[in-house]
Amino acid sequence: MERTASPPSKDLIARTRPFAAQDTARSVGALVSTYAALAGAVALAVAAPWWPLRIVGGLVEALVLIRCFILFHDAMHGALLPKSRWAKVLFQVQGLLTLTPARIWNDTHNHHHANTARIAADSAGTFVTWTTEQWRKATGAQRLGYVVERHPVTLMLGYFTAFLYSLCLQPFVKNPKRYWTSGLALGVHVALSAAVWHFFGLGVYLCAFLGPLVVAYALGTYLFYAQHNFDDVAILPEAAWNHADAALEASSYMRFGPVMEWFTGNIGYHHVHHLNPRIPFYRLPEAMAAIPELQGPHVTTLTLKDVVGCLRLNLWDPSLKRMVRYRDARLAHGA
């Protein structure tokens, strides 16, 4: 699709504001249907008489957990039931139960939105992206840390690396007074894990608790990574950075079918979300369809080709204005 030249940032953002008006009935309906789907999937994973059905239930549970997270994510942005006290309490509790305490999530995720595609920004709330120059100047230990953070195994183990560690254990240890909810979430999670195993057995623990969390957080971590790490992403120096360009040039549109759009809460419309995070997830397609500048996005998918291609992009080369592999940086500069 042909790309349309971007208008001034403020003008484009202003044209998205009508879509930030939520429909309360639609928001409540999404919440009820999502939690009902989660309850059904958990019941199947726990009580199905045939173990393959339990595995299916666990996989469906993992997908619904991603949608649950998107509801939480929208609520933290003020895009879902922002004036509802009961919804605020509900999402605070969900955050604790799903290893995304609201305080640390808001601190890191708001930083991510304010600094997407900035070369000079620190990596809080996102995966760090180095330039080839930074790679050349880094020590061996620094390079190892960078490789480990962006390694496919790190993404695959997102349950441990991104959620248990980065959102719970690390912030609580560094600043227990501010991030006491991270410690609480960790403690509650350990207690729930032990209780499920003790009272329901190892099979239920694996099919309905640990397995779905591992799968959901692996996919969720990859989605977060991939939607800002693609072949024609633009990483911008400070002087050239603006919010609209960062949204449109450094956030992808991940194309899904209708089933996966439901499970992922339209998070594939990531360029629209980054342009205006107060748009409810269910209005993101509407905004894209109405605004021409949003209709020529950088497109990616979950096909094997796109996933492998994404995972091979490691460093930003300012001279080429594209992401390159580690070996390309070494060959180009003799490092």
Side-chain angles (χ1 to χ4, degrees), residues 6 13 16-17 23 35 82 86 113 122 136 145 191 253 262 312 331:
S6 299
I13 295 170
T16 68
R17 287 181 186 138
D23 180 332
Y35 284 165
W86 67 263
H113 270 262
D122 68 58
R136 293 199 307 273
Y253 166 57
W262 190 89
R312 286 178 172 174
L331 290 171

Side-chain angles (χ1 to χ4, degrees), residues 44-335:
L44 186 63
V46 169
W50 191 37
W51 71 262
L53 281 180
R54 291 191 177 189
I55 294 176
V56 170
L59 292 174
V60 174
E61 181 186 342
L63 292 172
V64 180
L65 281 171
I66 293 174
R67 182 174 172 87
C68 287
F69 169 77
I70 296 303
L71 300 184
F72 168 85
H73 164 265
D74 269 25
M76 295 301 100
H77 278 300
L80 198 72
L81 302 170
K83 298 180 181 179
S84 170
R85 291 183 179 180
W86 67 263
K88 181 178 181 180
V89 172
L90 179 65
F91 286 120
Q92 292 278 343
V93 172
Q94 179 185 315
L96 290 175
L97 293 176
T98 56
L99 302 173
T100 52
R103 172 60 65 84
I104 184 63
W105 175 259
N106 283 330
D107 283 0
T108 57
H109 196 63
N110 289 339
H111 177 88
H112 163 69
H113 270 262
N115 293 279
T116 297
R118 270 184 163 143
I119 288 178
D122 68 58
S123 61
T126 191
F127 288 93
V128 64
T129 300
W130 281 359
T131 65
T132 48
E133 180 69 15
Q134 288 173 297
W135 175 263
R136 293 199 307 273
K137 292 180 177 179
T139 65
Q142 289 170 332
R143 288 186 181 186
L144 177 61
Y146 182 83
V147 170
V148 169
E149 179 178 337
R150 294 171 62 93
H151 197 276
V153 174
T154 301
L155 306 182
M156 185 174 64
L157 299 178
Y159 166 64
F160 302 99
T161 58
F163 289 82
L164 280 171
Y165 178 72
S166 295
L167 289 175
C168 293
L169 180 60
Q170 184 183 51
F172 178 66
V173 170
K174 285 187 173 181
N175 192 342
K177 183 176 180 180
R178 179 170 180 80
Y179 297 120
W180 64 270
T181 51
S182 291
L184 177 61
L186 190 60
V188 168
H189 191 74
V190 171
L192 278 175
S193 299
V196 171
W197 192 335
H198 177 75
F199 290 108
F200 298 98
L202 179 60
V204 169
Y205 174 71
L206 293 177
C207 288
F209 191 88
L210 181 63
L213 288 174
V214 170
V215 172
Y217 292 158
L219 180 56
T221 303
Y222 174 76
L223 290 175
F224 183 74
Y225 177 85
Q227 294 196 289
H228 301 289
N229 194 80
F230 47 91
D231 190 52
D232 45 1
V233 69
I235 309 297
L236 305 171
E238 192 64 25
W241 191 93
N242 68 74
H243 184 81
D245 283 347
L248 300 185
E249 302 302 328
S251 305
S252 70
Y253 166 57
M254 188 169 282
R255 183 181 291 127
F256 295 120
V259 174
M260 281 301 292
E261 281 191 349
W262 190 89
F263 281 123
T264 59
N266 291 330
I267 199 62
Y269 294 82
H270 212 59
H271 64 304
V272 186
H273 167 68
H274 263 262
L275 189 62
N276 189 341
R278 294 187 70 89
I279 299 175
F281 73 94
Y282 50 77
R283 299 201 70 183
L284 293 172
E286 181 185 348
M288 181 174 171
I291 301 175
E293 291 84 358
L294 305 183
Q295 295 167 14
H298 300 287
V299 179
T300 187
T301 70
L302 283 180
T303 62
L304 180 60
K305 178 183 177 182
D306 280 357
V307 171
V308 171
C310 166
L311 296 176
R312 286 178 172 174
L313 299 174
N314 310 122
L315 300 162
W316 172 253
D317 190 324
S319 63
L320 299 176
K321 298 188 183 303
R322 64 180 178 86
M323 297 290 290
V324 298
R325 301 174 69 172
Y326 297 120
R327 71 179 188 186
D328 295 331
R330 289 193 292 267
L331 290 171
H333 301 287

